[in-house]
Every structure is written in C-alpha cells, then in structure tokens.
Amino acid sequence: MIINCAAYQHGRKLADISVSEISSYVARPDCFVWVALKDPKPDELQAMQREFGLHELAVEDAQPGHQRPKIEEYDGSLFVVLHLIERNDDELSVGEVAIFAAPKYVLSVRSRAERGLADVRARCEQEPELLRHGAGYVLYALMDAVVDRYFPTLDGIESAIEDIEESIFADQPDR
C-alpha cells in the first residue's frame, strides 16, 4: 500500500503526487521523489521497479521475507535493508524496512512493522537546509530513525534484566 508519494526540490516539498506523475518530477533538474510503501503487493513493487529502474535482485529482496541487514550498490543506486524492532506489551516483533536510494528518488518499503516513518518525513520537511542535500539526506534520516528506535527497547530490556537480578540475589545466603 502506498503511504506517501511526494516530490521535493531545493529542500522544499513541491507536492504530494500520484504514481503516474513520478516520471515527470524525476525528469526535473534538482528534483527527487520520496515514496513510502507498507506491505506492498507484488504489482506495487513492480510499478516502482519500472518507474525508478530498480535492480531485479534488490526488488526481490525487498519483498516480505527475512533479509539480513545490508547495504548494496546497484548501478549508481543504493539498496539498504534494516530491521525494525517494536515492543507490543511484553513481546518483541521484528519488521524490516528496505530502502532504495539514488539522486532522483528514495523508496522505503516497510514490512511487518506497525509503526510508520511519517515522523521522519515531517522532520526532514522542517529542515529545508538539510533536505536540500536531497535523497542522501533522506536515506541518512531514515537510517538514523531506525537506529534511534532501538534505544527505548534496549532500555526496557536492561531494566527487566536488572529486576531479575535483584529478585535472584535479594535473598543471598550469609556465607
């Protein structure tokens, strides 16, 4: 499902656009398109492959599966796979975000994760001087957000371990 599709130029959002408009915005100088998909159907990924000329192996890896985190280069574009960790009650779930990035586009494909990345888009749009750097800055911002999301989970795990340690050693023998 397409979550968002927008065009940017000189650090500013030009417009929310439809998939059929992507080619015309990508053709503009100093313009890039940022598309976000969530649990896409195969035909949606194929449409993005045609629009951006995505490498077939990278598209295959972006389909829901269990890829290892990685960064690969394909003909002037980058393909990145990151794991997303979410805490639901006392359970941890692992999702993925696959990111295709080149000077003219960023495509994020989120799978098996409920929490979106709209906050990253909002933050980027509030920083036009940084967004002026284009797709490279967006890739950085997405990767940074994924890493930052690990900290609350790690803090919770650390706190749970400390509680377990306290309960184990609370009734220590006197020897």
Side-chain angles (χ1 to χ4, degrees):
M1 156 179 32
I2 293 179
I3 301 298
N4 205 317
C5 183
Y8 298 84
Q9 189 173 30
H10 304 298
R12 302 247 181 241
K13 181 177 179 178
L14 294 176
D16 288 314
I17 62 173
S18 67
V19 172
S20 63
E21 296 175 289
I22 289 174
S23 296
S24 65
Y25 280 94
V26 168
R28 293 182 180 193
D30 300 321
C31 189
F32 75 95
V33 173
W34 183 358
V35 180
L37 301 177
K38 179 185 185 296
D39 297 317
K41 296 176 182 156
D43 61 320
E44 290 174 313
L45 266 178
Q46 289 170 353
M48 293 298 113
Q49 182 179 13
R50 285 189 303 274
E51 283 295 329
F52 300 124
L54 305 176
H55 194 279
E56 189 174 322
L57 292 175
V59 171
E60 198 175 290
D61 285 350
Q63 293 179 20
H66 295 285
Q67 288 297 315
R68 60 182 168 73
K70 61 183 173 179
I71 298 176
E72 294 180 342
E73 186 176 3
Y74 292 101
D75 302 324
S77 67
L78 292 177
F79 175 66
V80 179
V81 176
L82 304 169
H83 286 183
L84 300 164
I85 297 199
E86 295 178 345
R87 190 177 188 120
N88 302 319
D89 298 321
D90 288 335
E91 297 290 319
L92 292 178
S93 62
V94 179
E96 288 180 4
V97 62
I99 306 166
F100 299 85
K104 293 299 217 165
Y105 64 84
V106 175
L107 168 64
S108 65
V109 180
R110 184 169 41 103
S111 302
R112 298 181 325 278
E114 290 307 312
R115 186 171 171 207
L117 298 163
D119 55 332
V120 177
R121 187 180 296 267
R123 191 178 80 224
C124 287
E125 290 174 357
Q126 291 172 359
E127 299 285 348
E129 287 304 314
L130 294 173
L131 192 55
R132 187 178 297 275
H133 293 286
Y137 173 67
V138 173
L139 174 61
Y140 160 78
L142 288 166
M143 293 174 71
D144 184 56
V146 169
V147 170
D148 285 350
R149 289 184 184 183
Y150 276 76
F151 294 115
T153 303
L154 292 173
D155 290 344
I157 292 170
E158 182 180 14
S159 183
I161 290 171
E162 287 172 0
D163 291 345
I164 292 168
E165 286 175 344
E166 284 179 21
S167 69
I168 290 172
F169 297 113
D171 296 320
Q172 267 187 345
D174 290 334
R175 27 167 163 138

